[in-house]
Amino acid sequence: MKTVLLTGPVRGLGLAISQRLAKEGYRVIGVGRKLTPEYEALMATFENVHFVRYDLNDLDGIPKLVLGITREHGALYGVVNNAGIGLDGVLATQHGSEISQVLRINLEAAILMAKYGCRSMLAEREGRIINISSIIASTGFNGLAVYAASKAGLEGFTRSLSRELGRINITVNCVAPGYMETDMTAGLVGEKLNSIRRRAPLGLPRVEDAAGAVSYLLSKDGDAITGSIITVDGGSTA
């Protein structure tokens, strides 16, 4: 059974990825700050789903975290960096601690998870690293300048790391979702929501659509894809 380490696994896109990979027979090691009833139910249904409580704000503990997971479950086949935060605010008035937190969790933690996660892949000469980006990395969005910077950095990191690891048969890719039909968009009303939906000729994607892209990149069909950004946005950036 192939082991996949997934950050931010308990809600939204992360939960959809957890559900998809569990059904496909991967051993899912979810890493997050707290459990949700939905993820607990998933663990009760699938013996191959696990949870490790960890706060990715603690960058110094990531080497020990990954080492503990590989000692218990064996070499990693995949690392999916899904955890992320987006603190909305105009840059001119945004507190420095908020800027640091977004960059730390969205970018630095993902880099370190890839660094230590790929070590067991190197020994196996096989692996997949998938970073969850966002269309905001390329389109920008008012009030999310730091979030956009973190995701753009993640995409640059992905392209460069793919060149380092490709010769050892490890692929590194991004999935970049747009607005998706989630609880977040369900809270939008009126013209703002209509405007977002009009931009997507296929309609807003579901979290299951983005989870499918992750599944594809982990699968045998993704063998020849690396350094790529797969956009899942219903065509809104076409």
Side-chain angles (χ1 to χ4, degrees):
M1 183 180 290
K2 293 179 176 178
T3 300
V4 177
L5 191 163
L6 167 65
T7 65
V10 300
R11 60 172 55 88
L13 175 56
L15 181 61
I17 294 171
S18 300
Q19 293 167 336
R20 177 73 179 251
L21 299 188
K23 291 174 183 177
E24 292 179 350
Y26 293 98
R27 179 184 293 111
V28 180
I29 313 298
V31 174
R33 289 189 299 114
K34 57 185 179 180
L35 280 167
T36 59
E38 293 82 3
Y39 196 86
E40 288 182 318
L42 189 66
M43 288 195 295
T45 303
F46 293 94
E47 293 183 354
N48 52 319
V49 178
H50 308 267
F51 183 77
V52 178
R53 194 178 303 274
Y54 190 81
D55 187 346
L56 291 173
N57 270 299
D58 179 11
L59 299 179
D60 293 337
I62 289 177
K64 184 178 179 181
L65 167 72
V66 177
L67 180 61
I69 290 171
T70 55
R71 280 179 173 171
E72 182 175 354
H73 299 286
L76 297 177
Y77 170 72
V79 171
V80 182
N81 284 308
N82 171 68
I85 58 172
L87 301 179
D88 195 357
V90 177
L91 182 63
T93 58
Q94 198 163 22
H95 197 278
S97 62
E98 293 182 330
I99 295 171
S100 296
Q101 185 182 17
V102 171
L103 294 175
R104 186 164 56 248
I105 292 177
N106 293 7
L107 183 56
E108 290 185 73
I111 289 172
L112 291 175
M113 293 297 285
K115 173 183 177 177
Y116 293 102
C118 79
R119 289 184 174 181
S120 60
M121 298 178 192
L122 291 169
E124 299 293 320
R125 301 189 68 83
E126 177 185 50
R128 302 280 198 268
I129 296 172
I130 302 169
N131 299 313
I132 305 301
S133 182
S134 167
I135 61 169
I136 292 173
S138 56
T139 66
F141 197 86
N142 182 45
L144 289 175
V146 179
Y147 176 82
S150 70
K151 293 301 187 180
L154 197 58
E155 292 187 3
F157 168 70
T158 295
R159 292 186 179 98
S160 292
L161 187 62
S162 72
R163 293 186 173 274
E164 289 185 25
L165 298 179
R167 67 191 67 183
I168 306 105
N169 198 34
I170 299 170
T171 67
V172 189
N173 293 286
C174 272
V175 173
Y179 271 101
M180 293 183 286
E181 293 283 6
T182 64
D183 293 341
M184 180 179 69
T185 51
L188 298 174
V189 294
E191 185 54 31
K192 187 172 184 179
L193 179 58
N194 290 334
S195 175
I196 291 169
R197 284 180 167 155
R198 278 198 300 269
R199 291 194 208 110
L202 293 178
L204 297 184
R206 304 163 302 144
V207 289
E208 290 81 7
D209 297 319
V214 172
S215 171
Y216 172 71
L217 290 171
L218 286 169
S219 74
K220 179 71 176 173
D221 291 331
D223 278 356
I225 301 173
T226 198
S228 295
I229 316 297
I230 295 183
T231 301
V232 184
D233 68 351
S236 65
T237 56

